[in-house]
Amino acid sequence: WTAVIAVVFRFLLEELNAKVAFVVALLLGLNPMIGYWVASGMDTPLAMLSQVLIWVWVVRLDRRVGTAPGRRAAYALIAAAMFSMVTRAEGFLWPMLAIAWLLVRGHRRQALAVGGTFVAFAACVVGWRLWYYGYPLPNTYYAKVAGTLSERIASAWYGQSARVVFQSGLLVAVLAIFAGTGATISSFVRRHDRQFDAALAFEVTAGCAWLAYFLYVGGDVYYERPMLVLVPLGLAIGARVLQPATNSVASASLAITAALTITMYPLWNYYRPEMAR
């Protein structure tokens, strides 16, 4: 959790400014839902860290292609992808998303270098699973993902979405992703008038993809647990979208107060009773 805060703070310090970086780090550090899952002793914060590292390094690589920092970013992205692969059952998804993004952005050489190295590493991991367990994915996939696609979507949408979004404090992140989607589409349509923000576009794509993944697998037996990365992602998206308004003290204060209130809401109404203590 501390590493995630540090990485996101440094990243937004480069991308935006010190005030925004500080506010996002503060909100990220005060999130009770993340605190709960860190205290759980499970792999959840490690998965969040791997996803954040992939996000940060693919954006840095996109911005610095063809330079020495760009090469270092590629190495760091490969390391983060490997880390993700051995963290959780779906650990291959974020690396594949990053590789696809590099291809979309026209960075073919970098995509092939990162993708080739990652695929070779993933093949070793999957080969070991086949040899040891007899099947390619971890037990959690076969234990949790079952039923038809329509049944899984219904389970996630009708059975879990209210708890995950409203009662776990993820509303700020989801609203920010929707706002970022609108801003990205508007920016793309008016590209001749305004510089297209590729970093925001990747963050929005990652957020939407992760929400779609949640629906596709039918949610999770622990509800919001795999969705923790949406907190730093959503805060960063919200900071980018709202940055023009932060020059006004009143607007900035209102936004921060609203975000903090919604984020801290689980302390009063979390559906997990042990959170109260």
Side-chain angles (χ1 to χ4, degrees):
W1 190 8
T2 306
V4 167
I5 294 169
V7 170
V8 172
F9 175 80
R10 178 65 180 271
F11 177 65
L12 293 181
L13 200 61
E14 298 171 0
E15 292 282 310
L16 299 173
N17 58 59
K19 289 181 181 178
V20 170
F22 175 77
V23 169
V24 170
L26 185 65
L27 292 173
L28 188 53
L30 289 174
N31 189 287
M33 179 189 66
I34 297 180
Y36 176 87
W37 284 111
V38 169
S40 74
M42 301 179 76
D43 56 27
T44 313
L46 292 175
M48 176 175 61
L49 175 59
S50 70
Q51 293 159 346
V52 166
L53 288 171
I54 290 171
W55 153 38
V56 166
W57 285 111
V58 76
V59 170
R60 284 174 171 163
L61 176 56
D62 182 31
R63 293 206 187 284
R64 303 166 183 175
V65 165
T67 66
R71 288 190 291 273
R72 289 195 292 271
Y75 296 143
L77 179 57
I78 290 170
M82 291 178 173
F83 176 39
S84 176
M85 181 67 192
V86 297
T87 302
R88 280 179 55 81
E90 72 276 8
F92 64 93
L93 291 176
W94 275 73
M96 298 307 294
L97 176 65
I99 293 163
W101 182 255
L102 291 174
L103 286 172
V104 169
R105 293 286 295 158
H107 309 313
R108 188 173 302 175
R109 287 181 57 191
Q110 288 74 18
L112 290 174
V114 173
T117 308
F118 173 72
V119 169
F121 177 79
C124 293
V125 175
V126 173
W128 177 83
R129 286 187 190 139
L130 284 169
W131 170 76
Y132 191 85
Y133 294 109
Y135 36 84
L137 293 174
N139 295 334
T140 50
Y141 174 81
Y142 302 103
K144 295 179 182 178
V145 183
T148 64
L149 178 60
S150 60
E151 288 172 337
R152 296 200 303 270
I153 292 175
S155 171
W157 183 259
Y158 296 107
Q160 298 196 17
S161 60
R163 282 186 169 182
V164 169
V165 175
F166 295 101
Q167 295 182 35
S168 299
L170 274 174
L171 182 60
V172 169
V174 173
L175 290 176
I177 290 168
F178 290 160
T181 302
T184 301
I185 293 172
S186 174
S187 175
F188 185 78
V189 170
R190 299 184 292 114
R191 196 166 180 172
H192 60 284
D193 296 327
R194 175 183 170 189
Q195 185 180 2
F196 180 64
D197 193 338
L200 175 62
F202 175 79
E203 291 158 3
V204 166
T205 301
C208 290
W210 208 233
L211 289 171
Y213 162 77
F214 183 81
L215 292 173
Y216 175 77
V217 297
D220 189 86
V221 66
Y222 293 113
Y223 294 91
E224 74 281 352
R225 185 170 79 103
M227 296 290 106
L228 258 62
V229 70
L230 294 185
V231 177
L233 200 62
L235 288 173
I237 292 171
R240 291 187 193 277
V241 173
L242 295 175
Q243 189 185 17
T246 57
N247 292 328
S248 165
V249 175
S251 298
S253 300
L254 179 61
I256 294 168
T257 302
L260 186 60
T261 301
I262 297 171
T263 297
M264 301 295 280
Y265 178 71
L267 286 176
W268 288 272
N269 199 35
Y270 202 12
Y271 63 90
R272 300 182 184 277
E274 57 268 43
M275 169 57 85
R277 177 172 57 83

